[in-house]
Amino acid sequence: MEKIIIDAKGMHYTPLNRQIRQAVAAGIKEIEIKNVLGQRFIANGLRGDVKITIYGIPGGDLCMFMNGPECTVYGDCEHAPGNTMDGGMIIVHGSAGDAVAHSMRGGKVYIRDNIGYRGGIHMKEYESKKPILVIGGSCHAFLGEYMAGGLILVLGIGLQSPINDRGIGSGIHGGEIIIRGNVDDRLLGIGSRKVEFNENDLRRISPLIEDFCSKFNIDPNPLMDTNYTHIVPSSSRPFADKYTWE
Amino acid sequence: MTLGSVPLRYKVSIDRDQCMQCMRCVDNCSYGVYRVEGDNILIDSRKCTACHRCISMCPRDAIILQERPVDYRSHPLWTAQTREDIINQARTGKILLAGMGNALEYPIIFDRLVLDACQVTNPSIDPLREPMELRTYIGKKPARLEFRKNDQGDVELATELAPNLKLETPIMIGHMSYGAISLNTQLSLAKAVKAMGTFMGTGEGGMHKSLHPYQDHTIVQVASGRFGVDIDYLERGAAIEIKIGQGAKPGIGGHLPGEKVCVDVSCTRMIPLGSDAISPAPHHDIYSIEDLAQLVRSLKEATEWKKPVFVKIAAVHNVAAIAAGIARSSADAVVIDGFRGGTGAAPKVFRDNVGIPIEAAIAAVDQKLNDQGIRNEVSIIASGGIRNSADLAKSIALGADAVYIGTAALIALGCRVCGNCYRGLCPWGIATQRQDLVERIDPDIGAKNVANLIHAWTLELSELMGAAGLNSIESLRGNRDRLRGYMLDEGLMKVLNVKPVGA
Ligand code: SF4
Ligand code: SF4
C-alpha cells in the first residue's frame, strides 16, 4: 500500500499524528488527510520521505521540527507553519498567520497568498542547510526580524506595493530578504540595508520563482526582471557596539 | 579632557624570598599578568582578575594578591564601584556588562532562616541506621489513582501516569551551554550526574556528540534562539526545558559573541563560524500563556508524549501567578531562577536590580499552587544562588522539589567566581574554548570533584532530615513548620509562611 487517506473529522491531533507516524513507519509514501479543522502540530517532528496532502485548515505549528516530508495544504494555515523546521517542504494554497517559518533552519515554505506578522523571524542557516520562505502575496510587520540566514522572497503578485508595514529585517545579521518592487526606506528595521538587485541575483533566484509558480499554476514570466528590492544585514554583529565591560 | 586610569583592582606581588622560579605562574596565567625578562618575573597587576589560578599552582605560596590596594575616599553611597562605572560609561556611552551573579549586598534570606531538630519528644533518626528516602520524582503526579481488577483477580493501576524524571538526590545541575562553557566542563558535569543518578541541563545550543553517551541524564533546552534544536536533539534528552527567562537577566535575551563561536560550537549550535548567536528577548512564537501551552504541547507531540517538559522563568514580582499559568499549560515542572543566578554575561543593571530572591519565589509559588489545588500538576525546581546543603534543605522546606546548581558545580571544577567568563580566557578551562585551556580539565577528575560535592550535600541533607526526625524528602517538602525566621520582617515571614524564632 503506497497511499492512505485519513479522515480527520473531529479527531484530536495526537491520534492523528500517531496515524501519520505509523503510516510513515510502514513505508507509506503518500498520505491524504481530509476534513482538517484546526488540528495543531500536524506532522510535528516527522521524518522520512513522504508526501502529505491536507484538505482544510490546519491549526498552529504545522510541520514544526519536521525534517524531510513534503506537505501541501489546500486551505489557509494558522500560526507558525514551518516553525523550527529542519528540512522538507510546506506548500500552502492560501494564506497563513503570524510567525510563519519561525526559526526555520532548512527546507522550503511556499505560501501562495499572504502571511501575518513576524514572517521568517530568526531563520538561520548552517553549511548546506539554507531555509527558504516564499510568499506570493504580502506580509505584515517585522518580516525577517533577527534573521540569521536563509532567504525570504516576497513576490507581491497582483499588488502595487507588496509590503506597507514596518520593521523589515530589524536585527538581521545573516541571510537576505528580496521583495518585489520598491520598498520605502522608512519600512526597513534597524540593522538592515538595501543593496542593488542585479541580473546575477535574478539568475540566482529565477529557478526558485519558477518552482514556486509551478506549484500554484502561476505564470512566472512577469516576475522575471530586476524590479526587486534586496535587503541584507548591515553587519553580522548588530549588537557588538552596544556594550562595554565592567 | 582625559579621565585617566582608575586605580588597580587587584595588586599581585611575589615574595621573592619564597619564589623558586618554577615559572608555573607565568605558564598558568592566561590573562598575561606575568612576563619573564631575563631572570626576572615581571608583573602587570592591571591584567589580574583574581581567578587564583597562579596562587593555586604556586608550590611555594609565594604569590600575594590584594584587592583594591588604592583607597578611594570612603563614602557609603559613592562606592568605588559606582564611581568606576560612571567613569566607564562617561568614556564609552554604552551598556555595562558584567559576569557571574548579582553583586549587590542584598540581605540573604537563606541566612535568616534556621532549621529545626528533634529533642526529647520525638526522637531524631540516625541516617546510618535507618534508610533515608531522598529519591525525588520530577513531573506531574495524578490528582487521584484508579485501580482495576484483572482476569487473575489482581489489582492493577488504571490511571495513566505522566512521565517523570527519577532523581536519586534532589540536586541537579542547571543549564550551562556548550559555548558558554567548555566541552570538558560539560563532560565532567555529565559524568558526575550519571554517577550520582541525577540530571544536568545542556543549556541552549545543542548537544555535542561527546555528550550522547550521557543523554539519558540530560535535560535539553529550547530557548528563544532555538540554537541546535532539531528533532534529534529533542529525542535525546530525558526531559525538555523551555527557557523563558533567566534570573541573572530577567526579561532580556542572550547573546553569544561571535568570538566564542568556534568550529565545534558552530556545529553544535548549527550557526556559521564567528557569527553572533542572538537569542531574542521573548520567544517570538510565544506572546501569551496560550502560546506557551502551544509550545509545551508541540514539544510533547514531537516526542510522542514520552518526555516531561519544564518551563524555566526568572523569579519576578508576579512569579506565583505566572507559575500557576504554567502549571495549567501541560508543563510538568516549573523552574524558578532567582535573582542571584549566575551568568557568563549580563547587563549589570539587570544582574543587580531586576528580579526577586529565590527564597521568596519558591514560597510564593508553592503557596499559590497549593491554594489553587494544582501543586501536583507541576514540580518546582529552584535555582539561583544555592550555595550549600543548608540552602538546599531550606529550599525544599519552602516548597521546592529539587534544585539546580550552577556556580557551585563550577567552583567544584576550579572556578573562583572571578566574573570574567565573558572574556573566553578562563584559566581553569571552564568558560573558554581555547584548546590549551580546555585541556586543563580532565573530565574524569572533574567528574569526581562534582560528584563528591553532590554526594557531600546529599549526606548533609540526610543528616539534617534525620535530626529533624524526617526519613523521607516528601516530609520535608513544603514543611515550613521546620523553618523559623531569624531577624526577618513580618511582611517577609508572611510571604515565606514561616514563624519567627521562638514562636
Ligand atoms: S608559581 Fe610561585 S614559585 Fe613558581 S615562579 Fe610563580 S611565584 Fe615563583
Ligand atoms: S568560570 Fe568564569 S568566574 Fe569562574 S574562574 Fe572561569 S572565568 Fe572566572
Side-chain angles (χ1 to χ4, degrees):
Chain A
M1 200 171 60
E2 279 287 284
K3 176 174 174 175
I4 60 158
I5 297 174
I6 301 173
D7 186 351
K9 188 161 186 173
M11 200 191 277
H12 184 265
Y13 55 77
T14 302
L16 175 57
N17 268 327
R18 204 177 297 136
Q19 280 195 33
I20 296 173
R21 266 194 216 106
Q22 277 164 1
V24 173
I28 296 219
K29 296 285 175 230
E30 258 189 273
I31 303 172
E32 203 175 292
I33 312 172
K34 289 189 166 152
N35 295 315
V36 171
L37 187 60
Q39 284 92 344
R40 298 172 181 188
F41 317 129
I42 296 175
N44 192 342
L46 193 68
R47 282 173 283 214
D49 168 29
V50 59
K51 283 195 162 72
I52 300 174
T53 313
I54 293 173
Y55 293 93
I57 316 281
D61 290 333
L62 174 74
C63 303
M64 188 167 185
F65 308 117
M66 182 179 86
N67 189 3
E70 180 181 309
C71 180
T72 306
V73 181
Y74 290 96
D76 295 328
C77 279
E78 233 265 17
H79 184 89
N83 192 353
T84 323
M85 190 171 114
D86 214 19
M89 189 158 188
I90 305 178
I91 302 156
V92 180
H93 292 256
S95 289
D98 295 341
V100 173
H102 170 265
S103 262
M104 176 181 170
R105 69 173 74 248
K108 288 178 185 162
V109 174
Y110 289 175
I111 311 283
R112 189 190 65 194
D113 301 337
N114 307 316
I115 63 166
Y117 294 79
R118 316 191 296 281
I121 187 169
H122 216 294
M123 270 171 41
K124 48 184 85 66
E125 68 186 61
Y126 175 64
E127 291 185 341
S128 63
K129 283 203 162 167
K130 199 172 168 202
I132 294 174
L133 168 64
V134 187
I135 299 136
S138 177
C139 61
H140 279 293
F142 306 117
L143 179 76
E145 189 176 30
Y146 296 115
M147 195 173 167
L151 166 66
I152 299 178
L153 175 61
V154 183
L155 295 171
I157 296 168
L159 300 168
Q160 270 301 342
S161 53
I163 303 184
N164 295 305
D165 220 340
R166 68 199 171 85
I168 300 171
S170 59
I172 183 175
H173 51 290
E176 54 182 340
I177 304 172
I178 298 173
I179 299 168
R180 182 78 178 148
N182 194 36
V183 173
D184 212 357
D185 280 340
R186 73 187 165 86
L187 300 180
L188 293 196
I190 294 167
S192 66
R193 69 187 169 104
K194 289 186 200 170
V195 293
E196 190 206 5
F197 184 88
N198 57 30
E199 288 291 341
N200 273 339
D201 295 316
L202 179 63
R203 221 167 299 134
R204 194 160 53 87
I205 67 161
S206 44
L208 183 63
I209 298 175
E210 274 161 16
D211 188 49
F212 179 86
C213 290
S214 75
K215 304 282 185 213
F216 302 110
N217 255 324
I218 298 169
D219 177 12
N221 289 318
L223 298 166
M224 294 298 181
D225 56 37
T226 55
N227 183 22
Y228 287 91
T229 304
H230 195 181
I231 296 163
V232 297
S234 37
S235 149
S236 68
R237 315 265 328 258
F239 301 130
D241 226 30
K242 229 170 115 179
Y243 302 106
T244 179
W245 288 98
E246 179 182 78
Chain B
M1 191 201 72
T2 166
L3 285 161
S5 62
V6 294
L8 281 180
R9 187 85 187 260
Y10 310 103
K11 170 129 181 78
V12 183
S13 46
I14 294 177
D15 179 342
R16 308 275 167 177
D17 292 339
Q18 284 294 320
C19 174
M20 58 184 262
Q21 301 257 346
C22 71
M23 303 298 165
R24 280 181 212 171
C25 49
V26 186
D27 296 340
N28 271 282
C29 184
S30 51
Y31 295 111
V33 171
Y34 303 96
R35 183 160 50 89
V36 186
E37 239 182 63
D39 280 349
N40 206 2
I41 301 175
L42 301 182
I43 300 173
D44 181 355
S45 287
R46 199 165 278 282
K47 292 185 172 149
C48 178
T49 66
C51 75
H52 276 202
R53 178 76 189 185
C54 59
I55 291 171
S56 67
M57 294 294 142
C58 174
R60 288 286 176 86
D61 288 331
I63 300 171
I64 303 137
L65 188 150
Q66 201 191 345
E67 188 166 9
R68 293 213 174 273
V70 179
D71 287 336
Y72 281 81
R73 178 213 159 198
S74 55
H75 192 286
L77 188 65
W78 299 99
T79 60
Q81 197 55 58
T82 352
R83 281 176 250 195
E84 287 179 7
D85 286 350
I86 292 174
I87 293 169
N88 185 340
Q89 291 188 302
R91 250 196 268 266
T92 60
K94 293 177 183 176
I95 295 172
L96 279 174
L97 284 183
M100 294 315 278
N102 196 321
L104 285 193
E105 283 181 27
Y106 293 101
I108 300 169
I109 301 173
F110 278 134
D111 294 345
R112 295 178 182 211
L113 284 170
V114 287
L115 288 156
D116 194 19
C118 295
Q119 300 293 301
V120 186
T121 50
N122 61 338
S124 39
I125 301 170
D126 184 354
L128 278 179
R129 201 182 71 188
E130 311 286 340
M132 279 289 159
E133 193 53 83
L134 292 182
R135 184 172 289 165
T136 301
Y137 288 90
I138 300 292
K140 281 187 195 309
K141 313 291 183 290
R144 50 186 306 212
L145 292 175
E146 273 163 27
F147 299 90
R148 63 172 165 243
K149 262 198 179 138
N150 67 12
D151 302 343
Q152 277 84 49
D154 290 336
V155 175
E156 284 180 343
L157 186 63
T159 312
E160 215 177 294
L161 297 178
N164 272 228
L165 288 191
K166 184 170 120 187
L167 279 53
E168 297 302 336
T169 175
I171 308 165
M172 296 188 280
I173 297 178
H175 289 261
M176 293 176 281
S177 68
Y178 175 48
I181 59 172
S182 67
L183 187 57
N184 282 1
T185 308
Q186 274 205 336
L187 270 175
S188 306
L189 302 175
K191 285 173 193 252
V193 291
K194 187 169 179 189
M196 298 308 297
T198 181
F199 295 81
M200 71 175 277
T202 60
E204 161 163 46
M207 192 193 292
H208 191 277
K209 59 180 184 317
S210 323
L211 253 69
H212 291 176
Y214 310 95
Q215 63 188 30
D216 293 345
H217 289 272
T218 64
I219 300 153
V220 296
Q221 198 178 48
V222 175
S224 66
R226 305 283 155 92
F227 295 111
V229 177
D230 60 14
I231 184 66
D232 184 56
Y233 170 72
L234 297 176
E235 281 179 349
R236 284 185 191 279
I240 302 170
E241 180 168 312
I242 300 171
K243 176 186 170 186
I244 299 292
Q246 182 178 349
K249 39 183 166 177
I252 60 172
H255 181 195
L256 185 73
E259 300 84 73
K260 277 204 179 183
V261 181
C262 65
V263 180
D264 256 22
V265 171
S266 138
C267 157
T268 310
R269 294 209 169 194
M270 305 176 197
I271 52 166
L273 197 65
S275 101
D276 278 9
I278 295 168
S279 298
H283 288 246
H284 283 286
D285 53 353
I286 307 177
Y287 281 8
S288 66
I289 201 87
E290 293 79 11
D291 286 349
L292 174 68
Q294 172 147 326
L295 181 59
V296 171
R297 290 186 186 126
S298 180
L299 290 165
K300 291 194 170 201
E301 191 67 24
T303 51
E304 301 177 56
W305 297 78
K306 287 182 195 151
K307 295 174 199 292
V309 173
F310 304 172
V311 176
K312 174 180 173 180
I313 52 170
V316 289
H317 300 187
N318 271 327
V319 66
I322 299 163
I326 291 170
R328 290 185 167 82
S329 74
S330 304
D332 301 275
V334 55
V335 182
I336 321 165
D337 198 20
F339 80 157
R340 291 184 193 283
T343 180
K348 187 172 179 175
V349 64
F350 279 80
R351 186 196 70 176
D352 292 352
N353 299 286
V354 183
I356 65 167
I358 188 61
E359 302 91 325
I362 302 169
V365 170
D366 181 57
Q367 193 65 51
K368 175 75 92 189
L369 297 178
N370 272 313
D371 291 349
Q372 298 191 356
I374 50 174
R375 181 64 182 83
N376 63 305
E377 288 292 327
V378 278
S379 295
I380 299 174
I381 301 165
S383 70
I386 310 287
R387 299 160 297 171
N388 47 42
S389 62
D391 290 356
L392 164 68
K394 292 170 189 175
S395 298
I396 293 172
L398 284 170
D401 289 271
V403 301
Y404 268 159
I405 58 169
T407 307
L410 297 188
I411 296 175
L413 290 169
C415 166
R416 299 288 163 101
V417 198
C418 75
N420 279 261
C421 315
Y422 64 90
R423 292 175 58 188
L425 289 172
C426 176
W428 294 92
I430 299 169
T432 179
Q433 302 302 327
R434 216 175 88 181
Q435 198 50 35
D436 61 316
L437 299 176
V438 173
E439 278 164 14
R440 290 181 182 182
I441 294 184
D442 175 335
D444 288 320
I445 299 171
K448 188 78 203 129
N449 293 344
V450 176
N452 277 344
L453 179 73
I454 296 175
H455 182 66
W457 288 14
T458 306
L459 283 179
E460 287 179 343
L461 178 64
S462 328
E463 296 283 340
L464 285 170
M465 283 169 47
L470 306 173
N471 61 2
S472 104
I473 195 85
E474 276 83 20
S475 314
L476 179 64
R477 187 171 308 127
N479 192 345
R480 295 146 195 233
D481 197 36
R482 309 315 291 265
L483 292 170
R484 288 290 185 272
Y486 182 45
M487 307 286 281
L488 283 175
D489 65 75
E490 208 179 327
L492 192 48
M493 281 196 292
K494 224 165 149 183
V495 169
L496 299 175
N497 196 6
V498 297
K499 292 184 195 136
V501 285

